[in-house]
Amino acid sequence: MPPQNPPSIDEVLATIAERDGELNSVVHLFDPPLPPTGDGPLRGEVLMVKDNIAVAGAPWSAGSSTRLGSPATFDAECVRRVREAGATIIAMTNLDEFAMGASTASSCFGPTHNPWDITRTAGGSSGGSAAASAAYAVATLGTDTGGSIREPAAQCGVVGVKPSGRQIPLHGVVPFAPTYDVVGPIAPTVWRTALLDDAMRCTDELSDAVQRGARGSLSGMVLGVVTQMADHRNSLEVRDRFAAALDACEWLGAQLVEVDVPNIVDSLSTYMTTTSIEAIPVLEEHAARGPLGEEAARRLEHALSVEPAEVARAVRHRRELNAQLRRIAAGHDLLVSPSMPIVAPALSRPGLDDPLAAPRTDWWTVEANIAGLGAMSLPNGRGKESGLPVGLQLMCAPGTDARMYFAAACLEPHVA
Ligand code: GLN
């Protein structure tokens, strides 16, 4: 079982001084750290926050040069809640510009490197949070519009959760696509993600579920294996690890059934079209302040030039997939899939070396955002070819996140 206790602030500062020169996960260090404003379950937790979430005094850059020079003057509501629950905030983390991307390559601070292999991407857009969590054993906050918490968590070998529903307010979060955006935790263990998630939702049911799960089994649970997410489009080493995780689920007593979601085809283009259109106001507002980076500019151009017929198709498909996935999720205790079809791609040329690498990382994550499901990436060992972390994705019907945490806690010692 991974260590459950957070490191001390001094330990974290020492490892940052040693490693962040090469990793580039931190974009701002609070000196001195921001103390908690209350006492609660997060007492002793050392926290870093993605820099699209407001923390008073942070750059609040969202990875964009257009936002530099006007630091946040207040704490986002989710930040206020975790500080009140006892967390100490020590740093802000790197991200793709406006959280658009899957590698942090579009950040105005330059990319974050993967702690397991610095020639590889840490993933994105919450790449700084996931890399810091893996390298410094800190808990972090991220945001997930189409996979931005789960993808970097999978690539860095930590736990990342996209909560279902809207219990965590978006107040103080730089918007990307507001009907998709959610805030969620990334941390080295299921327990620490649950504590953070609970604090942000003002509940305690998730950490309760983890305590029960760590002592429990999956017997009586029916897990749906999504056929389309488990097929040959995953690399061989990802398929191997997924098969091993399914064995662990069965050994723990779960019943596995195959589920077909034919509408998944095209989900990425549906996601891209609908999110780009939602992002128009925020992109136009920032374009008026200074030049956007390449990726953000490309999305704005796409949004402004997309054919009405494509918008109509995407909106219709979003609605159909939402209904279909919710129905399927509600018919099973959980759905399972690999978090990503590949391990972390090379950083030098994401999308150039391998033109399919960048969008491929989003293949199995956007569906949970489209349907509003809860979803988690759990470390699932290392690929036997690359030796790099692989993630297992658990997805749950809206409002059943406690069950997902229960299963994750039960599985954690058997798959990591
Ligand atoms: N990689 C996806 C994108 O580029 C998801 C980003 C996110 O979840 N913020 O849009």
Side-chain angles (χ1 to χ4, degrees), residues 185-208:
I186 301 175
T189 62
V190 175
W191 171 244
R192 288 169 70 190
T193 53
L195 287 176
L196 263 184
D197 203 345
D198 263 339
M200 289 193 287
R201 301 180 196 216
C202 305
T203 59
D204 52 20
E205 60 165 3
L206 307 173
S207 40
D208 273 1

Side-chain angles (χ1 to χ4, degrees), residues 230-374:
D231 65 12
H232 61 277
R233 286 171 295 171
N234 294 288
S235 68
L236 198 57
E237 58 182 345
V238 167
R239 266 182 279 159
D240 276 352
R241 288 307 311 155
F242 187 57
L246 294 183
D247 285 347
C249 291
E250 280 190 312
W251 185 81
L252 287 162
Q255 184 194 341
L256 302 179
V257 294
E258 287 207 6
V259 291
D260 218 35
V261 190
N263 264 344
I264 279 180
V265 181
D266 280 350
S267 50
L268 194 57
S269 61
T270 293
Y271 163 82
M272 274 296 170
T273 297
T274 50
T275 54
S276 300
I277 283 178
E278 276 190 46
I280 291 175
V282 76
L283 290 175
E284 283 188 329
E285 181 197 322
H286 286 91
R289 297 193 210 170
L292 299 177
E294 223 172 274
E295 179 62 23
R298 198 181 60 76
R299 299 219 188 187
L300 180 57
E301 195 187 305
H302 170 64
L304 296 175
S305 62
V306 61
E307 296 290 334
E310 161 57 11
V311 179
R313 181 208 62 78
V315 169
R316 198 178 337 108
H317 184 229
R318 180 184 182 182
R319 196 180 313 117
E320 285 164 7
L321 188 55
N322 179 301
Q324 188 178 64
L325 266 172
R326 279 176 181 245
R327 197 171 51 245
I328 291 170
H332 299 81
D333 288 299
L334 292 173
L335 302 179
V336 292
S337 76
S339 303
M340 293 189 5
I342 50 175
V343 296
L347 186 59
S348 51
R349 299 171 193 281
L352 286 177
D353 256 338
D354 175 359
L356 287 178
R360 270 173 90 186
T361 60
D362 296 345
W363 273 358
W364 315 143
T365 52
V366 296
E367 293 77 12
N369 302 79
I370 288 175
L373 307 181

